[in-house]
Amino acid sequence: MGSKRGIPPRTTLNRQNITFRGVPTSYVDYSIEDYTANKEKKRIYKAYLENLHQMIEDRVCLFNYGANGTGKTMLSSLVVKEGYRYRYDSYMITLASYISLLFGDKTEESLKTLRYIDKCDILVIDEVGKENFTVSKSNISVLENLLRQAVQKGQVVIINTNLNQQEFKEQYGASIASLIDGDFTKLPFEEKDHRPRVKGSKGRSILAEALK
């Protein structure tokens, strides 16, 4: 993992390679200009995409939370796609699908995917909160392990959830909430939008500038 600032980007993007990285087929051909739901979010993500090397170098992680159908998955898909363009290993997966890979039958394909997730530079964890909550709360430990390993590896993580901040803390506990508070820029996707919390580092200052 690390910046690929000095490496020329791809000039053409292979659709199959984009879908391999977990981008839904409906979003493969999308660009930031196709997002029209919220001008502020568009500015933020446009700044993120245009300064992707800086975001990787500063490990700017995003926590997208709030209403369903507001573009969280689409916008984070663009980060995965742009990561591919700039030769970063990037991947998008729902938390439920990751848990199935981790605890399900191991095949050559599933092991290949798990290895790729482990080494990728950008990991989008989608639909957090929609997975089954077991008595053992294994999903909580899986998410916490993912986040702590990401810190150790320098992996950029984007989390998408329909839960609000209080619901997220109640479901996943104070330990994970603390990791989010410390490592992530929080972006609310709600009917009554609020200014995202953007702090620290050059990468985050770029996002803050986009809000002005």
Side-chain angles (χ1 to χ4, degrees):
M1 295 178 190
S3 177
K4 293 179 171 58
R5 189 184 287 272
I7 302 175
R10 290 183 171 89
T11 55
T12 58
L13 303 183
N14 182 289
R15 289 177 58 88
Q16 185 176 353
N17 285 337
I18 295 172
T19 55
F20 165 77
R21 285 162 171 76
V23 173
T25 54
S26 56
Y27 294 146
V28 166
D29 295 320
Y30 276 38
S31 74
I32 190 63
E33 299 308 321
D34 294 305
Y35 178 75
T36 58
N38 183 287
K39 291 181 179 179
E40 183 180 81
K41 297 301 184 301
K42 184 174 182 176
R43 289 199 306 272
I44 292 170
Y45 265 87
K46 188 172 183 179
Y48 196 100
L49 295 168
E50 290 177 350
N51 297 275
L52 189 62
H53 293 306
Q54 193 68 56
M55 302 300 154
I56 299 294
E57 291 163 6
D58 288 345
R59 191 174 177 266
V60 179
C61 299
L62 303 177
F63 180 74
N64 300 319
Y65 68 93
N68 188 40
T70 49
K72 298 185 294 292
T73 298
M74 175 192 168
L75 289 171
S76 49
S77 292
L78 297 179
V79 177
V80 174
K81 182 178 174 181
E82 203 67 4
Y84 168 56
R85 183 191 308 278
Y86 285 99
R87 301 185 186 277
Y88 290 101
D89 291 323
S90 54
Y91 200 79
M92 182 177 202
I93 190 169
T94 66
L95 183 55
S97 295
Y98 179 76
I99 291 171
S100 295
L101 281 176
L102 201 61
F103 296 115
D105 294 335
K106 296 299 183 291
T107 64
E108 184 177 343
E109 188 64 27
S110 67
L111 290 172
K112 178 183 177 182
T113 301
L114 285 170
R115 286 193 296 267
Y116 188 83
I117 290 171
D118 182 62
K119 77 178 185 70
C120 69
D121 302 286
I122 304 166
L123 176 62
V124 176
I125 310 172
D126 200 25
E127 297 186 350
V128 174
K130 289 189 176 182
E131 73 282 1
N132 291 325
F133 280 72
T134 62
V135 175
S136 64
K137 297 183 178 180
S138 58
N139 60 313
I140 297 175
S141 61
V142 166
L143 181 59
E144 184 168 0
N145 286 338
L146 271 174
L147 297 181
R148 293 196 182 280
Q149 289 169 14
V151 173
Q152 295 173 356
K153 293 180 291 189
Q155 186 180 59
V156 171
V157 178
I158 298 175
I159 291 177
N160 295 327
T161 181
N162 293 340
L163 304 173
N164 63 39
Q165 291 189 75
Q166 184 59 37
E167 291 169 338
F168 185 88
K169 185 174 182 178
E170 289 173 357
Q171 288 203 27
Y172 292 96
S175 181
I176 291 179
S178 178
L179 287 170
I180 300 297
D181 286 340
D183 282 348
F184 286 74
T185 295
K186 298 178 180 180
L187 300 178
F189 285 74
E190 301 169 346
E191 290 183 4
K192 294 182 179 179
D193 213 354
H194 303 284
R195 290 283 177 182
R197 185 175 65 89
V198 181
K199 64 177 186 179
S201 83
K202 184 176 179 181
R204 290 186 173 90
S205 68
I206 290 171
L207 300 190
E209 189 65 27
L211 296 176
K212 294 181 179 178

